C-alpha cells in the first residue's frame, strides 16, 4: 500500500505541446480515487506517468514517500489494468495469471497459492483451466485484474477497464471492483469518462478538463457543491439545468435574481461579491424542479412548455422549453404521476434552497444553506 503525491506535474509532448498543466494531488494510502473528465483531457496520460509508461516533463511524483520520477516502471510496485485485456491466447487462465510471478522466478507452490487466492477473490476458480477464447468479456477482464492482484502491488491503476463490457456487466464489475478495494484495501486510481462509474466507485473524484484539475472531492461534495459550471454540468444525468439570470441584489446570505420571463427568486448563496445587474447562471438539478399546472400562481414558478417525455420505468424525464433559456430543461418525475403530453403549457417550481448560482466566470457562489 502506498500514498501517491503529485507536485506540479507537467507533460509536454515533443518538448512543446503541453497536455498536463501542473497537477498537484495527494492520494492517501489505501484510498480509491477516480480520475474523470471528457475525452482528451489527459486522464490516461497522467495515469501512464504515474505508472512510468510516459516520461514526466516537470514536477515531482512521490510513491510511498519516495521520489519516483526516474524509477523504472517495474520497480514502482504498481499494477495496471487496461480497457483491452491483453491476455495470452495460447495460455490457460491459470497460466496467464501465473505468468509474471513465474517470470520473476517465484517458487511453484507460491505461484499456485497466489493464483488460487486471486481466483477465489474474483470468483473465477472454475475457469482456471480455460483459454481466454472460451471466456466472456467480463470473465476476461476478471482474469486481467487477477493478473494484477497476484503481483501484490502497492497501487492498482485502472484505465477504463470496463469500457468493452455491455451495460449490465459493467454494473456487475463495478460492484466487484468496489468489493475488491474493500477486501484488499490497496490504493487504487481508476480512470473513466463515465460519470456514473466515477460517482459509484470513488471515495474521492478528481474532475479533469483540458489537462487541469477542475475540482477534487467526495461524490457527495461534487454533486451537491460543484465549484464551477464545468463540474456542475459534468456530474449527474440528466445534466444540471442552467438558466441565465440577472442579479438584482446580493447580500451575504442571499442573492435575488431575475429569471427570463421576469420571475424573481431569492437564492441561498453568498452574494457579497455580486452587484446589481451582474449576469449569473442559476443551476438546478432535474430532481429538484417540480411540475405545476399552468394556472398555478404561487411564488418561484416559471412558465414552460413540454417538449418531450422520456419514460424510464421508475422515473420519467420531462424535457421542457422555457423562453430565454437556450437548452431544454430536464425535470425528473416519479413515473406513476400522470405523464404530460408534448406541447402542454405548464409551470416549473424552483426551490430556492436547491438552486446554485454561478458568476460570469462560471465560479459557484458559496451556498448559505
Ligand atoms: N504521443 C502523443 N503525442 C502527442 N499528443 C498526445 C500523445 N498522446 C496523447 N496526446 C494528447 O494528449 C491529450 C490527452 O490524452 P489522453 O489520452 O491522456 O486523454 P484521456 O483523458 O485519457 O482521453 P480518453 O477519455 O479519450 O481516453 C490529448 O489531447 C491527446 O491528443
Ligand atoms: Mg484515456
Amino acid at each position: 500500500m502506498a500514498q501517491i503525491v503529485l507536485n506540479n506535474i507537467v507533460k509536454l509532448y515533443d518538448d512543446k505541446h503541453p497536455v498536463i498543466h501542473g497537477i498537484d494531488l495527494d492520494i492517501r494510502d489505501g484510498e480509491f480515487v477516480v480520475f474523470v473528465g471528457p475525452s482528451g483531457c489527459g486522464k490516461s496520460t497522467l495515469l501512464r506517468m504515474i505508472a512510468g509508461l510516459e516520461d514526466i516533463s516537470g514536477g515531482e511524483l512521490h510513491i510511498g514517500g519516495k521520489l519516483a520520477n526516474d524509477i523504472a516502471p517495474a520497480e514502482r510496485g504498481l499494477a495496471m489494468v487496461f480497457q483491452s485485456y491483453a491476455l495470452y491466447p495460447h495460455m490457460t487462465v491459470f497460466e496467464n495469471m501465473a505468468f509474471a510471478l513465474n517470470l520473476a522466478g517465484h517458487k511453484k507452490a507460491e505461484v499456485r497459492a497466489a493464483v488460487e487466492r486471486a481466483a477465489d477473490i474474483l470468483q473465477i476458480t472454475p475457469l482456471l483451466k480455460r483459454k481466454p477464447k472460451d471466456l466472456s468479456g467480463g470473465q476476461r477482464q476478471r482474469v486481467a485484474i487477477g493478473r494484477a492482484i497476484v503481483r501484490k502491488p502497492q497501487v492498482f491503476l485502472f484505465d477504463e477497464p470496463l469500457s468493452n463490457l455491455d451495460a449490465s456487466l459493467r454494473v456487475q464489475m463495478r460492484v466487484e471492483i468496489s468489493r475488491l478495494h474493500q477486501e484488499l484495501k490497496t490504493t487504487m486510481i481508476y480512470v473513466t469518462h463515465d460519470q456514473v462509474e466515477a460517482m459509484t466507485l470513488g471515495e474521492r473524484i478528481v474532475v479533469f478538463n483540458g489537462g487541469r484539475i477542475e475540482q477534487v472531492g467526495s461524490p457527495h461534495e461534487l454533486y451537491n457543491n460543484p465549484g464551477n459550471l464545468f463540474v456542475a454540468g459534468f456530474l449527474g444525468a440528466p445534466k444540471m439545468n442552467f438558466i441565465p439570470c440577472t442579479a438584482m441584489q446580493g447580500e451575504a446570505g442571499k442573492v435575488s435574481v431575475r429569471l427570463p420571463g421576469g420571475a424573481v427568486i431569492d437564492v441561498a448563496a453568498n452574494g457579497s461579491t455580486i452587484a446589481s445587474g451582474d449576469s449569473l447562471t442559476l443551476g438546478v438539478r432535474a430532481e429538484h424542479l417540480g411540475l405545476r399546472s399552468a394556472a398555478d400562481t404561487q411564488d418561484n414558478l416559471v412558465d414552460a412548455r413540454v417538449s418531450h417525455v422520456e419514460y424510464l420505468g421508475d422515473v420519467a424525464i420531462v424535457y421542457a422549453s422555457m423562453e430565454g433559456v437556450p437548452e431544454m430543461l430536464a425535470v425528473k418525475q416519479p413515473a406513476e404521476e400522470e405523464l404530460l403530453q408534448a406541447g402542454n403549457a405548464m409551470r416549473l417550481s424552483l426551490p430556492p434552497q436547491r438552486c446554485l448560482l454561478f458568476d460570469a466566470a462560471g465560479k459557484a457562489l458559496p451556498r448559505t444553506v
Side-chain angles (χ1 to χ4, degrees), residues 3 5 60-69 71 75 154:
Q3 179 197 29
V5 178
E60 290 186 349
L61 165 69
H62 298 265
I63 300 174
K66 268 195 268 177
L67 183 64
N69 290 43
I71 298 181
E75 310 296 317
Q154 302 187 70

Side-chain angles (χ1 to χ4, degrees), residues 40 42-45 159-160 191 193:
K43 309 176 293 292
S44 296
T45 302
D159 193 353
E160 312 239 11
V191 165
H193 59 260

Side-chain angles (χ1 to χ4, degrees), residues 44-365:
S44 296
T45 302
L46 190 61
L47 197 73
R48 291 168 57 80
M49 286 160 88
I50 295 170
L53 304 174
E54 292 281 356
D55 290 339
I56 296 172
S57 314
E60 290 186 349
L61 165 69
H62 298 265
I63 300 174
K66 268 195 268 177
L67 183 64
N69 290 43
D70 297 319
I71 298 181
E75 310 296 317
R76 293 189 187 191
L78 316 169
M80 193 151 168
V81 178
F82 301 93
Q83 178 178 349
S84 65
Y85 329 116
L87 302 177
Y88 297 109
H90 58 288
M91 293 184 190
T92 63
V93 167
F94 184 96
E95 288 161 350
N96 265 287
M97 284 166 66
F99 186 76
L101 298 185
N102 284 334
L103 203 65
H106 288 261
K107 291 205 187 78
K108 248 185 154 169
E110 231 173 76
V111 174
R112 172 160 294 281
V115 171
E116 283 173 356
R117 178 171 167 269
D120 187 42
I121 291 172
L122 295 164
Q123 294 163 3
I124 50 172
T125 305
L127 309 178
L128 285 173
K129 292 198 177 109
R130 290 205 204 162
K131 297 268 176 68
K133 70 173 173 39
D134 302 323
L135 302 175
S136 72
Q139 290 167 336
R140 282 178 212 170
Q141 193 52 284
R142 255 176 257 196
V143 177
I145 295 170
R147 221 172 21 181
I149 293 175
V150 296
R151 295 171 49 202
K152 296 209 177 88
Q154 302 187 70
V155 181
F156 283 91
L157 305 176
F158 294 98
D159 193 353
E160 312 239 11
L162 308 185
S163 303
N164 282 351
L165 307 179
D166 69 36
S168 70
L169 236 132
R170 274 211 301 272
V171 174
Q172 190 187 334
M173 285 301 292
R174 224 161 62 201
V175 174
E176 301 239 339
I177 289 175
S178 262
R179 200 174 51 83
L180 190 70
H181 180 249
Q182 278 165 22
E183 187 158 340
L184 301 177
K185 300 187 170 58
T186 310
T187 313
M188 294 187 177
I189 308 179
Y190 188 103
V191 165
T192 181
H193 59 260
D194 178 346
Q195 52 95 16
V196 179
E197 270 180 28
M199 291 292 288
T200 51
L201 282 171
E203 288 172 283
R204 274 197 309 160
I205 300 176
V206 184
V207 182
F208 286 90
N209 185 25
R212 292 188 169 84
I213 293 180
E214 291 279 352
Q215 196 174 356
V216 182
S218 69
H220 188 271
E221 278 162 10
L222 296 195
Y223 191 79
N224 293 298
N225 287 312
N228 57 47
L229 277 173
F230 182 84
V231 175
F234 193 79
L235 297 175
K239 98 185 209 352
M240 185 184 280
N241 295 301
F242 294 131
I243 303 175
C245 59
T246 309
M248 298 179 63
Q249 195 189 355
E251 301 170 14
K254 65 169 190 184
V255 185
S256 297
V257 294
R258 185 188 293 282
L259 300 172
V264 173
I265 68 169
D266 291 340
V267 179
N270 185 339
S272 50
T273 59
I274 295 302
S276 171
D278 282 358
S279 289
L280 302 176
T281 301
L282 180 143
V284 58
R285 295 219 179 262
E287 61 270 33
H288 297 144
L289 279 176
L291 295 174
R292 300 285 179 271
S293 99
D296 200 325
T297 54
Q298 276 179 358
D299 286 348
N300 302 327
L301 297 184
V302 295
D303 292 320
R305 189 169 291 278
V306 178
S307 168
H308 62 282
V309 180
E310 274 178 0
Y311 174 70
L312 298 174
D314 55 341
V315 294
I317 312 290
V318 178
Y319 290 92
S321 58
M322 177 180 160
E323 218 171 295
V325 181
E327 289 181 1
M328 287 288 166
L329 300 177
V331 188
K332 207 181 249 185
Q333 280 269 288
E336 61 268 19
E337 283 186 20
E338 193 185 337
L339 291 183
L340 292 152
Q341 302 296 315
N344 279 11
M346 46 96 168
R347 308 197 85 195
L348 292 174
S349 72
L350 292 144
Q353 317 279 33
R354 297 293 201 169
C355 293
L356 297 171
L357 287 176
F358 301 89
D359 67 17
K363 196 166 175 305
L365 305 186

